[in-house]
Amino acid sequence: MFRLFDFSLKISGFPMKEAQSEFESIRAVPEKDYPDYIAVKQKEIATFHLENNSFYQKLVGKKTFDNWSDLPVLTKKDLQQPLENRLSKGYTGSNTFVNKTSGSSGDPFIFAKDKYVHALTWASYFYRFGWYGIDFNTSYQARFYGIPLDKAGYYKERLKDYLGNRYRFPIFDLSDGFLEQVLDKFKKQKFDYINGYTSSIVLFAKFLKARNIVLKTVCPTLKVCMVTSEMLFEDDKILLETQFGIPIVNEYGASELDLIAFQNPEGEWQVNTETLFVEILDEENRPLPYGQEGRIVITSLYNKAHPFIRYDIGDIGALDESSTAKKTILKKLTGRTNDVAVLPSGKKAPGLTFYYITKSIIEDDGNVKEFIIKQIQRDTFEIDYVSDFELTADQIQKIEAAIALYLETGLTFIFNRKTTLSRTNRGKLKQFQSLL
Protein backbone atom coordinates (compact mmCIF):
# COMPACT_ATOMS: atom_id res chain seq x y z
CA MET A 1 0.00 0.00 0.00
CA PHE A 2 1.36 3.44 -0.94
CA ARG A 3 1.97 5.47 2.22
CA LEU A 4 1.29 9.04 1.14
CA PHE A 5 2.12 10.71 4.45
CA ASP A 6 5.52 8.99 4.70
CA PHE A 7 6.20 9.92 1.10
CA SER A 8 5.33 13.60 1.71
CA LEU A 9 7.86 13.74 4.57
CA LYS A 10 10.51 12.06 2.45
CA ILE A 11 10.16 14.46 -0.49
CA SER A 12 10.31 17.36 1.99
CA GLY A 13 13.81 16.19 2.90
CA PHE A 14 13.12 14.66 6.30
CA PRO A 15 15.20 11.47 6.83
CA MET A 16 12.40 9.44 8.39
CA LYS A 17 13.98 6.00 8.06
CA GLU A 18 17.09 7.04 10.00
CA ALA A 19 15.08 9.02 12.56
CA GLN A 20 12.65 6.20 13.27
CA SER A 21 15.56 3.80 13.68
CA GLU A 22 17.22 6.13 16.22
CA PHE A 23 13.92 6.72 18.01
CA GLU A 24 13.55 2.95 18.50
CA SER A 25 17.16 2.77 19.75
CA ILE A 26 16.42 5.48 22.33
CA ARG A 27 13.33 3.63 23.50
CA ALA A 28 15.42 0.47 23.88
CA VAL A 29 17.78 2.07 26.44
CA PRO A 30 17.14 0.27 29.77
CA GLU A 31 15.60 2.23 32.63
CA LYS A 32 18.69 1.76 34.83
CA ASP A 33 20.93 3.29 32.14
CA TYR A 34 18.61 6.15 31.21
CA PRO A 35 19.90 8.85 33.60
CA ASP A 36 23.43 8.38 32.24
CA TYR A 37 22.14 8.30 28.66
CA ILE A 38 20.30 11.61 29.12
CA ALA A 39 23.33 13.18 30.82
CA VAL A 40 25.48 12.28 27.81
CA LYS A 41 22.93 13.80 25.42
CA GLN A 42 22.70 16.97 27.52
CA LYS A 43 26.46 17.41 27.38
CA GLU A 44 26.62 16.62 23.65
CA ILE A 45 24.00 19.18 22.59
CA ALA A 46 25.29 21.97 24.87
CA THR A 47 28.89 21.38 23.76
CA PHE A 48 27.83 21.38 20.10
CA HIS A 49 26.16 24.78 20.38
CA LEU A 50 28.96 26.27 22.46
CA GLU A 51 31.39 25.29 19.70
CA ASN A 52 29.19 26.03 16.66
CA ASN A 53 26.66 28.70 17.57
CA SER A 54 27.83 32.28 18.18
CA PHE A 55 24.43 33.31 19.58
CA TYR A 56 24.65 30.62 22.26
CA GLN A 57 28.33 31.30 22.94
CA LYS A 58 27.49 34.94 23.64
CA LEU A 59 24.55 33.97 25.85
CA VAL A 60 26.68 31.61 27.96
CA GLY A 61 29.74 33.86 27.90
CA LYS A 62 32.24 31.07 27.26
CA LYS A 63 32.79 28.02 25.07
CA THR A 64 32.84 25.37 27.79
CA PHE A 65 30.81 24.47 30.88
CA ASP A 66 31.35 22.28 33.92
CA ASN A 67 27.88 21.90 35.39
CA TRP A 68 24.48 21.79 33.70
CA SER A 69 23.13 24.25 36.27
CA ASP A 70 25.74 26.80 35.18
CA LEU A 71 24.07 27.13 31.78
CA PRO A 72 21.65 30.08 31.51
CA VAL A 73 17.92 29.70 31.18
CA LEU A 74 16.92 30.72 27.65
CA THR A 75 13.82 32.91 27.39
CA LYS A 76 11.56 33.73 24.47
CA LYS A 77 12.70 37.34 24.59
CA ASP A 78 16.29 36.12 24.03
CA LEU A 79 15.07 34.63 20.76
CA GLN A 80 13.36 37.73 19.41
CA GLN A 81 16.11 38.64 16.98
CA PRO A 82 16.73 37.68 13.34
CA LEU A 83 16.88 33.93 12.83
CA GLU A 84 20.17 34.12 10.92
CA ASN A 85 21.80 35.43 14.13
CA ARG A 86 20.76 32.29 15.98
CA LEU A 87 21.60 29.49 13.54
CA SER A 88 24.57 27.17 14.02
CA LYS A 89 27.43 26.88 11.55
CA GLY A 90 26.37 25.09 8.37
CA TYR A 91 22.66 25.75 8.85
CA THR A 92 20.56 28.23 6.89
CA GLY A 93 16.92 29.00 6.40
CA SER A 94 16.95 26.88 3.25
CA ASN A 95 18.36 23.65 4.72
CA THR A 96 16.29 23.63 7.92
CA PHE A 97 12.64 23.45 8.91
CA VAL A 98 11.61 27.05 9.67
CA ASN A 99 8.39 28.06 11.38
CA LYS A 100 6.94 30.67 13.72
CA THR A 101 5.46 30.26 17.17
CA SER A 102 1.82 31.23 17.57
CA GLY A 103 2.50 34.13 19.88
CA SER A 104 -0.07 32.95 22.42
CA SER A 105 2.52 33.68 25.12
CA GLY A 106 2.87 37.26 23.88
CA ASP A 107 6.43 36.64 22.67
CA PRO A 108 6.31 35.19 19.13
CA PHE A 109 9.51 34.37 17.26
CA ILE A 110 10.76 32.48 14.22
CA PHE A 111 12.65 29.26 14.94
CA ALA A 112 14.48 26.54 13.04
CA LYS A 113 14.91 22.79 13.45
CA ASP A 114 17.41 20.77 11.50
CA LYS A 115 15.65 18.27 9.29
CA TYR A 116 16.87 15.29 11.26
CA VAL A 117 15.43 16.52 14.56
CA HIS A 118 12.16 17.38 12.82
CA ALA A 119 12.07 13.82 11.52
CA LEU A 120 12.56 12.66 15.13
CA THR A 121 9.58 14.84 16.09
CA TRP A 122 7.44 12.97 13.57
CA ALA A 123 8.74 9.63 14.88
CA SER A 124 7.61 10.76 18.34
CA TYR A 125 4.13 11.57 16.99
CA PHE A 126 3.89 8.23 15.16
CA TYR A 127 4.78 6.32 18.32
CA ARG A 128 2.36 8.09 20.65
CA PHE A 129 -0.59 8.25 18.28
CA GLY A 130 0.04 4.56 17.67
CA TRP A 131 -0.94 3.88 21.30
CA TYR A 132 -4.51 4.51 20.13
CA GLY A 133 -4.36 2.65 16.82
CA ILE A 134 -3.82 5.78 14.74
CA ASP A 135 -1.65 5.54 11.60
CA PHE A 136 -1.06 8.89 9.89
CA ASN A 137 -1.01 7.18 6.48
CA THR A 138 -4.34 5.39 6.77
CA SER A 139 -6.33 7.04 9.59
CA TYR A 140 -8.57 9.91 8.49
CA GLN A 141 -8.37 12.96 10.76
CA ALA A 142 -11.05 15.53 11.51
CA ARG A 143 -8.90 18.60 12.21
CA PHE A 144 -10.15 21.60 14.23
CA TYR A 145 -7.50 24.23 13.52
CA GLY A 146 -7.06 27.72 12.20
CA ILE A 147 -6.01 28.29 8.61
CA PRO A 148 -4.31 31.21 6.83
CA LEU A 149 -6.84 33.43 5.11
CA ASP A 150 -4.54 34.66 2.35
CA LYS A 151 -4.93 32.66 -0.87
CA ALA A 152 -1.41 31.20 -1.03
CA GLY A 153 -1.33 30.23 2.64
CA TYR A 154 -4.84 28.78 2.48
CA TYR A 155 -4.11 26.44 -0.43
CA LYS A 156 -0.74 25.46 1.01
CA GLU A 157 -2.46 24.26 4.19
CA ARG A 158 -5.16 22.48 2.20
CA LEU A 159 -2.43 20.61 0.26
CA LYS A 160 -0.74 19.65 3.55
CA ASP A 161 -4.11 18.44 4.81
CA TYR A 162 -4.50 16.26 1.71
CA LEU A 163 -1.04 14.76 2.13
CA GLY A 164 -1.68 14.33 5.87
CA ASN A 165 -4.94 12.43 5.28
CA ARG A 166 -7.06 14.93 7.16
CA TYR A 167 -10.02 17.25 6.66
CA ARG A 168 -9.77 20.68 8.28
CA PHE A 169 -12.63 22.54 9.90
CA PRO A 170 -11.49 26.21 10.09
CA ILE A 171 -12.41 27.46 13.54
CA PHE A 172 -12.82 31.19 13.07
CA ASP A 173 -16.58 30.81 12.66
CA LEU A 174 -18.03 28.60 15.38
CA SER A 175 -21.65 29.63 14.99
CA ASP A 176 -24.41 27.04 15.21
CA GLY A 177 -24.84 27.29 11.43
CA PHE A 178 -21.21 26.33 10.86
CA LEU A 179 -21.34 23.54 13.48
CA GLU A 180 -24.38 22.12 11.66
CA GLN A 181 -22.10 21.80 8.60
CA VAL A 182 -19.43 20.13 10.73
CA LEU A 183 -21.96 17.60 12.04
CA ASP A 184 -23.16 16.93 8.51
CA LYS A 185 -19.57 16.18 7.45
CA PHE A 186 -19.20 13.65 10.28
CA LYS A 187 -22.37 11.95 9.08
CA LYS A 188 -20.93 11.54 5.58
CA GLN A 189 -17.21 10.87 6.19
CA LYS A 190 -15.48 7.93 7.88
CA PHE A 191 -13.28 9.86 10.28
CA ASP A 192 -10.97 7.79 12.51
CA TYR A 193 -9.97 10.49 14.98
CA ILE A 194 -10.35 14.14 15.94
CA ASN A 195 -7.40 16.46 16.58
CA GLY A 196 -7.34 20.17 17.33
CA TYR A 197 -7.69 23.08 19.70
CA THR A 198 -9.43 22.28 22.95
CA SER A 199 -11.84 25.24 23.08
CA SER A 200 -13.19 24.65 19.57
CA ILE A 201 -13.74 20.95 20.14
CA VAL A 202 -15.45 21.64 23.49
CA LEU A 203 -17.77 24.11 21.74
CA PHE A 204 -18.70 21.43 19.21
CA ALA A 205 -19.45 19.03 22.07
CA LYS A 206 -21.75 21.60 23.68
CA PHE A 207 -23.51 21.96 20.33
CA LEU A 208 -24.03 18.17 20.25
CA LYS A 209 -25.25 18.10 23.85
CA ALA A 210 -27.91 20.73 23.09
CA ARG A 211 -29.19 18.41 20.35
CA ASN A 212 -28.81 15.22 22.40
CA ILE A 213 -26.40 13.71 19.84
CA VAL A 214 -23.49 11.37 20.56
CA LEU A 215 -21.01 11.79 17.73
CA LYS A 216 -19.99 8.14 17.48
CA THR A 217 -23.58 7.18 16.71
CA VAL A 218 -23.46 9.28 13.52
CA CYS A 219 -19.79 8.51 12.76
CA PRO A 220 -19.16 4.92 13.98
CA THR A 221 -15.55 4.82 12.68
CA LEU A 222 -14.34 7.34 15.29
CA LYS A 223 -11.76 5.89 17.70
CA VAL A 224 -10.24 8.74 19.71
CA CYS A 225 -10.00 12.51 20.10
CA MET A 226 -6.72 14.37 20.80
CA VAL A 227 -6.98 17.92 22.14
CA THR A 228 -4.06 20.32 22.20
CA SER A 229 -2.77 23.89 22.64
CA GLU A 230 -5.25 25.00 25.32
CA MET A 231 -6.15 23.87 28.84
CA LEU A 232 -8.47 20.86 29.12
CA PHE A 233 -10.54 21.08 32.28
CA GLU A 234 -11.85 17.91 33.90
CA ASP A 235 -15.52 18.78 33.41
CA ASP A 236 -14.84 19.56 29.75
CA LYS A 237 -13.12 16.21 29.36
CA ILE A 238 -16.20 14.48 30.80
CA LEU A 239 -18.40 16.47 28.39
CA LEU A 240 -16.24 15.41 25.42
CA GLU A 241 -16.23 11.75 26.45
CA THR A 242 -20.01 11.82 26.86
CA GLN A 243 -20.88 13.62 23.62
CA PHE A 244 -18.26 11.97 21.42
CA GLY A 245 -18.48 8.47 22.86
CA ILE A 246 -14.72 7.91 22.45
CA PRO A 247 -11.56 8.31 24.61
CA ILE A 248 -10.23 11.87 25.00
CA VAL A 249 -6.45 12.27 24.96
CA ASN A 250 -4.71 15.37 26.28
CA GLU A 251 -1.67 16.54 24.31
CA TYR A 252 0.86 19.15 25.43
CA GLY A 253 3.40 20.34 22.90
CA ALA A 254 5.26 23.28 21.43
CA SER A 255 5.93 23.79 17.74
CA GLU A 256 9.50 24.88 18.40
CA LEU A 257 10.21 21.69 20.36
CA ASP A 258 8.14 18.54 19.99
CA LEU A 259 5.36 16.76 21.80
CA ILE A 260 6.16 17.54 25.45
CA ALA A 261 3.63 15.25 27.12
CA PHE A 262 0.93 12.96 25.82
CA GLN A 263 -1.72 11.10 27.79
CA ASN A 264 -0.96 7.39 27.68
CA PRO A 265 -3.61 4.63 27.70
CA GLU A 266 -3.29 4.41 31.51
CA GLY A 267 -4.42 8.04 31.76
CA GLU A 268 -1.00 9.42 32.73
CA TRP A 269 0.42 12.53 31.08
CA GLN A 270 3.66 10.92 29.95
CA VAL A 271 6.56 13.23 29.15
CA ASN A 272 8.54 12.80 25.94
CA THR A 273 11.91 11.77 27.40
CA GLU A 274 13.17 10.45 24.07
CA THR A 275 13.94 13.82 22.45
CA LEU A 276 13.50 16.30 25.32
CA PHE A 277 14.85 16.90 28.81
CA VAL A 278 12.29 18.58 31.07
CA GLU A 279 13.14 20.46 34.27
CA ILE A 280 10.94 22.23 36.81
CA LEU A 281 12.74 25.29 38.16
CA ASP A 282 12.02 27.83 40.88
CA GLU A 283 12.36 31.60 40.45
CA GLU A 284 16.11 31.34 41.12
CA ASN A 285 16.51 28.74 38.35
CA ARG A 286 17.08 25.95 40.86
CA PRO A 287 15.65 22.49 40.06
CA LEU A 288 12.63 21.53 42.14
CA PRO A 289 11.95 17.97 43.31
CA TYR A 290 9.17 15.87 41.82
CA GLY A 291 5.78 17.03 43.07
CA GLN A 292 6.66 20.71 43.46
CA GLU A 293 5.28 23.31 41.07
CA GLY A 294 7.52 25.66 39.11
CA ARG A 295 8.54 26.92 35.67
CA ILE A 296 8.73 24.33 32.92
CA VAL A 297 12.18 24.50 31.29
CA ILE A 298 12.97 22.23 28.35
CA THR A 299 16.04 21.16 26.39
CA SER A 300 15.80 19.81 22.85
CA LEU A 301 18.45 17.09 22.94
CA TYR A 302 18.94 16.76 19.18
CA ASN A 303 18.34 20.13 17.50
CA LYS A 304 21.72 21.21 16.13
CA ALA A 305 20.40 23.96 13.87
CA HIS A 306 19.14 26.12 16.74
CA PRO A 307 19.75 25.96 20.50
CA PHE A 308 16.83 25.22 22.77
CA ILE A 309 18.86 24.53 25.89
CA ARG A 310 17.21 25.14 29.27
CA TYR A 311 14.46 26.94 27.38
CA ASP A 312 11.75 28.51 29.54
CA ILE A 313 8.62 27.69 27.58
CA GLY A 314 6.53 30.06 29.69
CA ASP A 315 4.36 27.48 31.46
CA ILE A 316 3.98 26.44 35.08
CA GLY A 317 3.61 22.81 36.14
CA ALA A 318 4.85 19.92 38.26
CA LEU A 319 6.18 16.42 37.64
CA ASP A 320 4.67 13.47 39.48
CA GLU A 321 6.49 11.93 42.45
CA SER A 322 6.40 8.54 40.74
CA SER A 323 8.48 9.81 37.81
CA THR A 324 11.70 8.21 36.65
CA ALA A 325 14.27 9.45 34.14
CA LYS A 326 12.73 7.30 31.41
CA LYS A 327 9.07 7.44 32.38
CA THR A 328 8.44 10.97 33.58
CA ILE A 329 4.85 11.93 34.34
CA LEU A 330 3.51 15.48 34.16
CA LYS A 331 1.39 15.82 37.30
CA LYS A 332 -0.23 19.13 36.42
CA LEU A 333 -0.03 22.08 34.07
CA THR A 334 -1.45 25.20 35.66
CA GLY A 335 -1.01 27.85 33.00
CA ARG A 336 1.43 30.36 31.61
CA THR A 337 3.89 32.34 33.70
CA ASN A 338 2.74 35.61 32.11
CA ASP A 339 -0.92 34.86 32.91
CA VAL A 340 -0.70 35.89 36.55
CA ALA A 341 -3.14 38.33 38.09
CA VAL A 342 -1.64 40.87 40.51
CA LEU A 343 -4.39 41.96 42.92
CA PRO A 344 -4.75 45.27 44.83
CA SER A 345 -3.47 43.64 48.03
CA GLY A 346 -0.28 42.64 46.23
CA LYS A 347 -1.35 39.02 46.12
CA LYS A 348 -0.47 37.14 42.94
CA ALA A 349 -2.87 34.52 41.60
CA PRO A 350 -2.69 32.34 38.50
CA GLY A 351 -5.13 33.83 36.01
CA LEU A 352 -6.75 30.46 35.50
CA THR A 353 -7.95 30.64 39.12
CA PHE A 354 -10.51 33.21 37.93
CA TYR A 355 -11.35 31.00 34.99
CA TYR A 356 -11.92 27.90 37.17
CA ILE A 357 -14.14 29.76 39.63
CA THR A 358 -16.18 31.56 36.98
CA LYS A 359 -16.52 28.47 34.82
CA SER A 360 -18.03 26.45 37.64
CA ILE A 361 -20.83 28.99 38.03
CA ILE A 362 -21.77 30.41 34.64
CA GLU A 363 -21.77 27.14 32.72
CA ASP A 364 -24.11 25.31 35.08
CA ASP A 365 -27.21 25.99 32.99
CA GLY A 366 -25.53 25.42 29.62
CA ASN A 367 -26.41 28.95 28.49
CA VAL A 368 -22.81 30.23 28.32
CA LYS A 369 -20.92 28.56 25.47
CA GLU A 370 -17.45 29.98 26.11
CA PHE A 371 -15.79 32.94 27.79
CA ILE A 372 -12.49 34.70 28.43
CA ILE A 373 -11.25 36.88 31.28
CA LYS A 374 -9.03 39.95 30.96
CA GLN A 375 -7.44 41.93 33.77
CA ILE A 376 -7.54 45.59 32.71
CA GLN A 377 -6.60 47.18 36.05
CA ARG A 378 -5.35 45.90 39.41
CA ASP A 379 -8.92 45.70 40.69
CA THR A 380 -10.88 45.43 37.43
CA PHE A 381 -11.59 42.45 35.20
CA GLU A 382 -13.58 42.07 32.01
CA ILE A 383 -15.42 38.83 31.27
CA ASP A 384 -16.39 38.43 27.62
CA TYR A 385 -18.83 35.59 27.06
CA VAL A 386 -20.91 34.02 24.30
CA SER A 387 -24.40 32.91 25.30
CA ASP A 388 -27.99 32.81 24.19
CA PHE A 389 -29.04 35.10 27.04
CA GLU A 390 -27.52 37.75 29.27
CA LEU A 391 -26.07 36.56 32.58
CA THR A 392 -28.54 36.96 35.40
CA ALA A 393 -27.91 39.16 38.42
CA ASP A 394 -27.86 36.00 40.52
CA GLN A 395 -25.08 34.45 38.39
CA ILE A 396 -23.02 37.63 38.54
CA GLN A 397 -23.45 37.82 42.31
CA LYS A 398 -22.33 34.21 42.71
CA ILE A 399 -19.19 34.82 40.62
CA GLU A 400 -18.26 37.89 42.64
CA ALA A 401 -18.90 36.10 45.94
CA ALA A 402 -16.84 33.05 44.92
CA ILE A 403 -13.88 35.17 43.81
CA ALA A 404 -14.06 37.20 47.03
CA LEU A 405 -14.00 33.94 48.99
CA TYR A 406 -11.10 32.33 47.11
CA LEU A 407 -9.04 35.43 46.34
CA GLU A 408 -10.01 38.78 47.86
CA THR A 409 -12.80 41.31 48.14
CA GLY A 410 -13.16 44.68 46.41
CA LEU A 411 -12.68 43.49 42.83
CA THR A 412 -14.78 44.91 39.99
CA PHE A 413 -16.11 42.84 37.09
CA ILE A 414 -17.44 44.04 33.76
CA PHE A 415 -19.50 41.46 31.86
CA ASN A 416 -19.71 41.76 28.08
CA ARG A 417 -21.97 39.47 26.10
CA LYS A 418 -20.49 38.78 22.64
CA THR A 419 -21.55 36.92 19.52
CA THR A 420 -18.01 35.55 19.06
CA LEU A 421 -14.73 35.70 20.99
CA SER A 422 -11.43 37.00 19.71
CA ARG A 423 -8.92 34.27 18.86
CA THR A 424 -5.28 34.41 17.79
CA ASN A 425 -4.48 34.36 14.08
CA ARG A 426 -4.12 30.59 14.40
CA GLY A 427 -7.48 30.18 16.07
CA LYS A 428 -6.41 29.69 19.68
CA LEU A 429 -8.55 31.04 22.51
CA LYS A 430 -6.57 32.73 25.25
CA GLN A 431 -8.65 32.01 28.33
CA PHE A 432 -7.06 34.54 30.68
CA GLN A 433 -5.01 37.59 29.81
CA SER A 434 -3.44 40.29 31.93
CA LEU A 435 -3.32 43.67 30.17
CA LEU A 436 -1.32 45.31 32.96
Side-chain angles (χ1 to χ4, degrees):
M1 179 181 176
F2 182 64
R3 299 177 68 82
L4 182 60
F5 192 82
D6 286 352
F7 179 71
S8 69
L9 292 175
K10 183 178 179 180
I11 62 173
S12 297
F14 302 121
M16 290 307 304
K17 187 175 181 181
E18 296 87 342
Q20 286 180 291
S21 177
E22 176 151 9
F23 190 83
E24 292 305 315
S25 296
I26 298 168
R27 288 189 53 238
V29 175
E31 176 74 60
K32 64 181 178 61
D33 298 331
Y34 217 73
D36 291 338
Y37 173 80
I38 293 297
V40 168
K41 290 300 174 185
Q42 287 175 261
K43 185 170 184 178
E44 283 180 0
I45 195 64
T47 299
F48 177 86
H49 285 297
L50 285 171
E51 293 177 351
N52 296 279
N53 190 288
S54 58
F55 160 77
Y56 194 63
Q57 290 170 9
K58 184 178 179 181
L59 189 72
V60 175
K62 54 184 180 178
K63 291 189 177 184
T64 61
F65 74 103
D66 297 317
N67 300 303
W68 183 256
S69 58
D70 294 336
L71 295 173
V73 171
L74 183 66
T75 68
K76 297 191 177 190
K77 290 191 183 298
D78 291 327
L79 303 175
Q80 289 179 315
Q81 55 178 281
L83 178 62
E84 57 265 27
N85 295 350
R86 296 178 272 123
L87 291 174
S88 300
K89 291 177 185 175
Y91 293 98
T92 66
S94 60
N95 67 8
T96 59
F97 171 77
V98 176
N99 206 344
K100 185 177 182 180
T101 63
S102 67
S104 59
S105 65
D107 298 309
F109 61 89
I110 295 171
F111 65 89
K113 298 164 92 173
D114 62 74
K115 292 198 172 184
Y116 184 73
V117 78
H118 196 57
L120 275 176
T121 295
W122 278 114
S124 172
Y125 271 95
F126 293 162
Y127 170 60
R128 286 171 171 80
F129 275 64
W131 290 344
Y132 298 92
I134 299 303
D135 181 328
F136 284 23
N137 288 280
T138 58
S139 301
Y140 194 29
Q141 178 191 140
R143 188 173 184 84
F144 286 75
Y145 268 66
I147 192 168
L149 298 179
D150 64 284
K151 194 171 184 179
Y154 178 87
Y155 285 107
K156 181 181 177 182
E157 289 303 309
R158 285 298 189 191
L159 175 61
K160 286 165 65 176
D161 289 339
Y162 171 75
L163 295 173
N165 199 28
R166 62 202 185 207
Y167 182 85
R168 183 182 308 231
F169 297 106
I171 57 177
F172 299 115
D173 172 15
L174 293 170
S175 63
D176 282 359
F178 175 74
L179 293 177
E180 286 283 5
Q181 295 174 35
V182 172
L183 176 59
D184 190 55
K185 195 75 175 179
F186 273 95
K187 291 176 179 178
K188 296 175 180 177
Q189 298 291 325
K190 294 182 178 180
F191 289 113
D192 294 286
Y193 67 115
I194 298 169
N195 184 230
Y197 294 157
T198 307
S199 62
S200 304
I201 294 174
V202 167
L203 200 58
F204 182 46
K206 290 178 179 178
F207 169 85
L208 296 174
K209 181 180 180 181
R211 286 150 183 78
N212 197 28
I213 295 171
V214 175
L215 193 58
K216 191 169 174 64
T217 62
V218 300
C219 185
T221 52
L222 275 178
K223 298 175 183 174
V224 64
C225 169
M226 285 83 171
V227 296
T228 189
S229 293
E230 300 160 339
M231 294 289 287
L232 175 64
F233 299 94
E234 186 59 32
D235 55 345
D236 284 339
K237 184 178 182 182
I238 293 169
L239 170 71
L240 292 175
E241 289 171 339
T242 302
Q243 296 308 136
F244 290 173
I246 52 177
I248 307 301
V249 176
N250 206 352
E251 173 189 311
Y252 171 42
S255 57
E256 65 269 35
L257 296 169
D258 198 332
L259 271 174
I260 299 169
F262 198 76
Q263 187 178 322
N264 65 26
E266 289 73 51
E268 301 165 317
W269 222 355
Q270 189 168 332
V271 172
N272 167 14
T273 59
E274 289 87 4
T275 71
L276 304 176
F277 174 65
V278 177
E279 300 174 86
I280 305 295
L281 304 184
D282 66 14
E283 290 303 314
E284 304 300 321
N285 294 336
R286 294 174 299 205
L288 291 168
Y290 291 150
Q292 290 192 25
E293 187 176 289
R295 293 151 51 230
I296 299 176
V297 174
I298 302 177
T299 297
S300 177
L301 296 170
Y302 293 89
N303 190 356
K304 292 183 176 180
H306 186 292
F308 284 106
I309 298 171
R310 305 199 86 198
Y311 166 59
D312 188 337
I313 194 170
D315 291 334
I316 301 170
L319 301 177
D320 195 80
E321 293 87 344
S322 67
S323 297
T324 65
K326 187 167 187 177
K327 189 178 181 183
T328 305
I329 304 299
L330 184 63
K331 183 177 184 178
K332 60 180 175 178
L333 180 67
T334 57
R336 306 203 72 91
T337 52
N338 67 331
D339 290 342
V340 174
V342 181
L343 305 179
S345 66
K347 180 178 181 178
K348 294 182 179 180
L352 283 171
T353 305
F354 290 87
Y355 192 84
Y356 274 114
I357 296 168
T358 307
K359 181 180 177 64
S360 66
I361 296 169
I362 69 175
E363 292 195 338
D364 282 348
D365 63 358
N367 173 38
V368 176
K369 298 176 181 179
E370 54 183 357
F371 67 96
I372 56 175
I373 300 174
K374 292 179 285 187
Q375 183 177 19
I376 57 176
Q377 295 179 33
R378 275 280 186 116
D379 64 348
T380 306
F381 297 80
E382 280 192 350
I383 299 179
D384 294 344
Y385 65 97
V386 177
S387 68
D388 296 326
F389 308 101
E390 295 277 356
L391 288 176
T392 66
D394 183 54
Q395 286 175 308
I396 291 173
Q397 187 177 23
K398 284 181 180 178
I399 292 168
E400 292 173 343
I403 289 174
L405 176 65
Y406 286 99
L407 293 170
E408 64 183 54
T409 58
L411 302 178
T412 299
F413 293 88
I414 301 167
F415 293 86
N416 304 311
R417 184 179 166 215
K418 304 278 187 178
T419 53
T420 60
L421 294 182
S422 175
R423 284 174 153 79
T424 70
N425 59 1
R426 293 195 181 184
K428 293 183 183 181
L429 185 70
K430 194 168 176 59
Q431 291 146 333
F432 176 86
Q433 185 179 10
S434 174
L435 301 182
L436 300 185

